[in-house]
Amino acid sequence: MAAKKKTDDLMDKIVSLCKRRGYVFPSSEIYGGLGSCWDYGPLGAELKRNLKNFWWNAMTNRRDDVEGLDAAILMHPQVWHTSGHVAEFSDPMVDCKKCKARFRADKLEEARCPLKPSKSPLECDGELTEARQFNLMFKTFMGPVEDNSNVVFIRPETAQGIYVNFLNVKNSSRQKIPFGIAQIGKAFRNEITPGNFIFRTREFEQMEMQFFIHPSEDEKWFEHWREQRWNWYMELGINPEKLRWHEHGPDELAHYAKAAYDVEYEYPFGWQELEGIHNRTDFDLSRHMEATKKDLRYFDERFTEKFIPYIIETSAGCDRTLLTILVDGYDEVEVKGEKRVFLRISPKVAPIKAAIFPLVKKDGMPEYAQKVYAELKKSFKVFYDVAGAVGRRYARMDEAGCPYCITVDGQTLEDDTMTVRDRDTMEQTRMKTAEIVNFLKEKVG
Ligand code: ATP
């Protein structure tokens, strides 16, 4: 029970910090909120944008063999029949006969009883029904007539948009196999038991990449992508002790997959999947080829044969990674007898890169600081703050996750130097004003 309390405390602190500082708000809050839907506030929107750019740069811009894509959320309904989602994209569901609440049968330990939130449905005295399958896809109607022939699905994953564009991307980019297609976009799942803040929601964003290869090279590329994705989390500054691989055993492996590993993170509520890396074989393209009669095979000069490409998939949740950054970065430290919160987010994705302070509101310091602020604003998201004692200003920025605070003081006006304070070491380094842009570029680039 004590461990559970600690977990709740940390998540509660993060949820409240997110609200207070403008990272994440409950959706439609003035109407009482909407279950499991969250809105990203000014700092959250900035962090999410930086995170997506960080992924996009690593996956596409820094490589010659991955192209980007931004496919529509609504797709031909037949896509979801072909992919197997209509028949199989379901979770087992049970109902509590007493309170009528509905839970995911394979996640009962994580679920909370609505009548006794301190207990899981397994611990309370209500009787659970037998498990039934529940399809997770949201449906809507396309066009002005609401009948069965107009049903469309709201995509539950971004990957299908990549498979159906394989030929278009290959032909327009003139890529040769092996090559990949990367996409970031919203996905929707009518999850039975969403929860744990932004960890499991019904609307979320995925960052997915599908890499098309010759079947004989699958193991090599699988290892390559595992290594790349692990290194990406290291570059993002996530604590490696809180990350681990989970290999899917024979009972977990999807019927079409040859191998699957999840990157897991140790959240306050336990080890959970953050990203999946899968060897999907030729399952996806074979299915789409069969359904559309379009030839999705590839002629490879190296092997002088035509074949259906195998696919190595890397599929990460954007919101889940953002939660990981917040959980991993949250730190409480006693400074001069006062408990202070630090959000140790990597400068590469931090929403505000630097804050500029005049030490005092006089002697030309605000004017000098304003000039520096105007200059830095051209390249970075920066913040100007003159209100209150400098110690309080530092504390506000530490809690907001800002990695650097730049202060204009008396000496600045004499020799054009300023102090740059590092959030994590709290060290202050004096630097030439002219060097600051380069310093920040190096740190946040
Ligand atoms: P889970 O077992 O947690 O339901 P999954 O195995 O169904 O996840 P995938 O279909 O492999 O997940 O999706 C890839 C990634 O998308 C996941 O690793 C996760 O980061 C993210 N994701 C999936 N479902 C959700 C959700 N409901 N809310 C937020 N992120 C999600």
Side-chain angles (χ1 to χ4, degrees), residues 73-263:
I73 289 176
L74 299 178
M75 300 182 74
H76 194 295
Q78 195 56 43
V79 168
W80 304 107
H81 288 277
T82 305
S83 66
H85 282 82
V86 173
E88 290 157 30
F89 193 58
S90 48
D91 279 334
M93 165 184 88
V94 291
D95 291 318
C96 171
K97 290 185 183 167
K98 190 171 166 197
C99 72
K100 309 286 177 229
R102 198 157 262 192
F103 307 102
R104 199 166 138 179
D106 57 339
K107 304 263 180 196
L108 283 173
E109 272 148 32
E110 286 171 28
R112 299 285 109 202
C113 163
L115 300 180
K116 293 181 196 149
S118 64
K119 294 195 169 176
S120 87
L122 292 170
E123 292 165 325
C124 67
D125 37 7
E127 198 190 326
L128 299 174
T129 60
E130 287 290 308
R132 284 167 295 142
Q133 290 301 321
F134 173 78
N135 194 293
L136 301 184
M137 278 199 296
F138 280 99
K139 288 183 206 164
T140 188
F141 300 99
M142 190 135 168
V145 184
E146 294 194 2
D147 68 21
N148 281 345
S149 61
N150 293 326
V151 165
V152 287
F153 301 99
I154 306 182
R155 72 177 176 203
E157 62 172 33
T158 55
Q160 298 302 324
I162 296 182
Y163 306 143
V164 300
N165 276 296
F166 168 65
L167 281 186
N168 282 337
V169 174
K170 175 178 83 65
N171 295 339
S172 57
S173 65
R174 297 168 56 223
Q175 283 282 1
K176 288 190 166 55
I177 273 177
F179 80 94
I181 305 177
Q183 165 161 243
I184 299 177
K186 289 257 179 170
F188 299 80
R189 295 182 188 178
N190 199 5
E191 298 276 4
I192 301 163
T193 20
N196 284 326
F197 193 31
I198 53 172
F199 177 81
R200 189 182 303 285
T201 51
R202 295 192 170 112
E203 171 180 346
F204 57 97
E205 224 162 341
Q206 289 186 313
M207 308 188 287
E208 291 199 308
M209 193 280 315
Q210 312 287 325
F211 203 72
F212 301 87
I213 54 169
H214 187 273
S216 67
E217 297 186 324
D218 64 340
E219 282 169 22
K220 174 179 114 185
W221 283 109
F222 190 68
E223 282 316 306
H224 170 86
W225 281 108
R226 275 185 59 199
E227 193 185 323
Q228 293 291 309
R229 296 305 302 144
W230 184 270
N231 291 345
W232 186 80
Y233 290 106
M234 295 302 99
E235 255 193 85
L236 193 56
I238 305 296
N239 178 359
E241 281 168 24
K242 297 251 173 186
L243 280 177
R244 72 176 184 196
W245 286 110
H246 165 73
E247 183 180 5
H248 285 214
D251 51 330
E252 285 171 280
L253 208 56
H255 63 93
Y256 50 82
K258 194 170 147 190
Y261 277 81
D262 292 339
V263 178

Side-chain angles (χ1 to χ4, degrees), residues 383-432:
F383 182 74
Y384 178 80
D385 193 3
V386 70
V390 78
R392 290 255 55 86
R393 284 181 262 164
Y394 282 150
R396 284 201 292 266
M397 297 321 292
D398 292 338
E399 198 191 53
C402 172
Y404 303 106
C405 291
I406 302 167
T407 305
V408 171
D409 56 16
Q411 197 178 323
T412 308
L413 303 158
E414 287 162 23
D415 63 4
D416 278 327
T417 61
M418 299 188 289
T419 60
V420 178
R421 172 189 174 272
D422 182 304
R423 174 197 62 205
D424 299 334
T425 61
M426 291 214 224
E427 268 170 31
Q428 300 193 22
T429 316
R430 197 161 267 286
M431 249 178 243
K432 278 271 177 208

